[in-house]
Amino acid sequence: MSHSDDEALALLALGESVSRADEAHVAGCPRCQSRLDQLSAVVSSARAIEPADYPTAPPPAVWRGITTELGMAGGVVAPLPTGARSGRRRMWAVASVAAAIGLIVGGAGVATVLDRQPEATVVATAELGAMSEAGLTGTAVLHRGDAGNLLTVSIPGLPGDVDGYYEVWMATADAGTMIALGTLAPGAEATFTLPGGLDPAAFPVVDVSHEHFDGDPEHSAESLVRGQLQA
Amino acid sequence: MTIQSGALLVDERLPAASVPVTAGPQVAGAGAPDDDEIAAQFALGGDAGLALAYQRWSPLVHTVALRAVGSPDDAADVTQAVFVAAWRGRNGFDPAKGSLPGWLLTIARRRVADHWEARSREARRIAALGEPDHDSGSAADSVVDRVLLADELARLGEPQRRIMELAFFQDLTHAQISGVLDLPLGTVKSHIRRSLDRLRTRLEVDGVAQ
């Protein structure tokens, strides 16, 4: 018979069952067997991927070290397209830290934001769908007010006895770039001021994650709810 | 109720920040050059070639180092050493013979081995111990494979990426994936075949030669 088709081999590599004819053929065909072995190796490596295996950039000091060691002038430095993207993310990190400090230092700032809310116009809303077995759902509402864009997030029944804390993120449509807006306390909705200059259209995904007190500022990959803002 | 970590339906392996967050080199010019153009520029030897290669592949090298040596400081040192060695030895890189990331990762693998060798020498000197039993070679190889596959997964478009995550990490069958994502069975099957092939090719092109 002819060789098994590549779809059957791919499914076999993933551990799925295929037709008896395909199975019998592969068992007796060195060419299909060797192709299956290659694909199975890919599957087993991929299944061993841990969150920390996703590439993360080295700290800035590394590039400085390289140029110093090689005696290059700083003249190599000028903006690249992806640099603009990462630069924006850095700006956000700074902005959200500043926002967090603002919240801690002055409760008055929060009151101001809340006072302004009634005047804010709803720009978009997101139904936040369940992403964990806890099955929680919620809503996110994007307002435009005098102070800029505000995002109000509400997750009814968010458990209080959590090991860690909850963090609200806005992400690009592919969730490849995520910006932390701040933490979400259980039992109440919270409103976050989006840093000026953030185009909400470029970050349409709202995500709430369960974070741990591990000092790692990145997304824990444990999403509770997620949804897309729609006008 | 406590949220169980690891008890997730989807996106368990969501990369937190696969986009390089670098204050590193930034190269003037419009439009992002593709991998081959970067490799060609690197081989030519202009400073921009190094900066472009660093911008594009330092996350790969750094993550392999981080996973293989453990400490962030050591990983930063290894990353720096790899790019310095690559630049100084760039005459030994031939774009016709292999990919630049593959070459960088070969150097990284050697640096990781050097790191453990230095460690065990130190340990022997201090504790007068016997042979070290750290198998840095094969461990580094599997790290390279995982990091390359994670990188390629993150580059798959949707719904391919979601399909492969469900197949790999949630062990769903193509029929279950078709139900979850509301996609035709044939579409899911052909995405699986093509994505798996793309992942295999990435390992072949950029992986460390066995």
Side-chain angles (χ1 to χ4, degrees):
Chain A
M1 73 175 268
S2 63
H3 292 292
S4 295
D5 67 38
D6 286 348
E7 281 180 6
L9 290 175
L11 294 180
L12 275 171
L14 284 163
E16 291 200 40
S17 49
V18 295
S19 78
R20 239 180 234 170
D22 274 324
E23 239 165 70
H25 170 80
V26 172
C29 171
R31 194 182 109 181
C32 287
Q33 191 63 54
S34 118
R35 183 140 176 85
L36 175 60
D37 288 346
Q38 289 178 338
L39 295 178
S40 300
V42 172
V43 170
S44 82
S45 286
R47 287 197 164 139
I49 291 173
E50 294 168 20
D53 291 326
Y54 285 93
T56 50
V62 173
W63 175 248
R64 285 198 300 273
I66 291 167
T67 49
T68 305
E69 202 176 335
L70 291 173
M72 287 178 172
V76 188
V77 181
L80 214 176
T82 55
R85 209 170 152 197
S86 52
R88 179 155 39 160
R89 195 177 187 280
R90 272 162 48 75
M91 188 175 80
W92 285 108
V94 173
S96 64
V97 167
I101 292 168
L103 285 176
I104 295 162
V105 172
V110 179
T112 313
V113 168
L114 294 178
D115 284 349
R116 285 187 188 175
Q117 241 178 293
E119 296 162 32
T121 324
V122 172
V123 181
T125 57
E127 293 299 321
L128 304 177
M131 294 286 288
S132 83
E133 282 185 349
L136 295 163
T137 59
T139 53
V141 180
L142 181 69
H143 317 269
R144 187 163 296 138
D146 298 344
N149 290 315
L150 305 170
L151 187 76
T152 301
V153 176
S154 165
I155 303 176
L158 192 62
D161 60 340
V162 59
D163 174 21
Y165 60 99
Y166 304 110
E167 185 148 25
V168 177
W169 304 79
M170 288 183 84
T172 48
D174 63 358
T177 305
M178 308 189 88
I179 289 154
L181 292 181
T183 59
L184 182 63
E189 62 177 37
T191 297
F192 304 89
T193 306
L194 305 196
L198 171 66
D199 175 10
F203 292 84
V205 175
V206 177
D207 176 286
V208 178
S209 69
H210 171 207
E211 297 293 326
H212 303 274
F213 295 112
D214 53 11
D216 182 350
E218 295 183 344
H219 194 286
S220 64
E222 295 174 32
S223 292
L224 291 180
V225 296
R226 188 181 295 176
Q228 184 138 2
L229 286 166
Q230 280 163 342
Chain B
M1 185 178 69
T2 308
I3 307 291
Q4 301 282 325
S5 59
L8 298 172
L9 290 174
V10 286
D11 267 12
E12 201 172 312
R13 319 295 165 109
L14 180 79
S18 59
V19 175
V21 181
T22 175
Q26 299 183 332
V27 183
D34 71 20
D35 292 2
D36 291 345
E37 285 164 10
I38 295 175
Q41 286 214 35
F42 182 91
L44 280 174
D47 287 0
L50 174 63
L52 285 167
Y54 183 87
Q55 175 103 26
R56 173 70 183 82
W57 291 299
S58 65
L60 268 185
V61 170
H62 173 248
T63 306
V64 165
L66 197 55
R67 300 295 279 152
V69 303
S71 124
D73 285 349
D74 290 342
D77 288 349
V78 168
T79 307
Q80 179 171 332
V82 167
F83 279 92
V84 167
W87 189 243
R88 288 190 172 141
R90 64 188 176 276
N91 288 335
F93 168 68
D94 181 356
K97 283 192 185 151
S99 78
L100 182 50
W103 192 65
L104 292 170
L105 289 172
T106 303
I107 298 173
R109 199 161 143 275
R110 220 150 49 211
R111 291 290 161 172
V112 166
D114 290 350
H115 166 87
W116 287 114
E117 175 57 29
R119 274 294 171 84
S120 63
R121 265 203 313 272
E122 201 178 330
R124 280 200 298 275
R125 202 175 60 231
I126 294 167
L129 288 174
E131 280 301 295
D133 59 1
H134 190 90
D135 181 13
S136 59
S138 63
D141 289 351
S142 66
V143 167
V144 167
D145 284 358
R146 293 203 313 269
V147 172
L148 281 171
L149 289 174
D151 187 48
E152 197 61 29
L153 261 183
R155 283 166 197 280
L156 291 177
E158 294 295 358
Q160 290 90 333
R161 178 179 170 179
R162 178 60 63 96
I163 289 172
M164 297 316 286
E165 285 176 343
L166 291 171
F168 287 149
F169 308 138
Q170 310 297 328
D171 279 331
L172 298 191
T173 65
H174 71 283
Q176 288 169 320
I177 294 169
S178 150
V180 168
L181 299 182
D182 196 20
L183 289 170
L185 215 51
T187 305
V188 172
K189 269 203 278 194
S190 87
H191 279 319
I192 286 177
R193 173 181 63 77
R194 267 178 277 166
S195 301
L196 208 49
D197 205 51
R198 182 170 152 178
L199 293 168
R200 184 188 57 79
T201 305
R202 179 75 192 273
L203 284 192
E204 241 170 52
V205 173
D206 293 345
V208 175
Q210 300 296 309

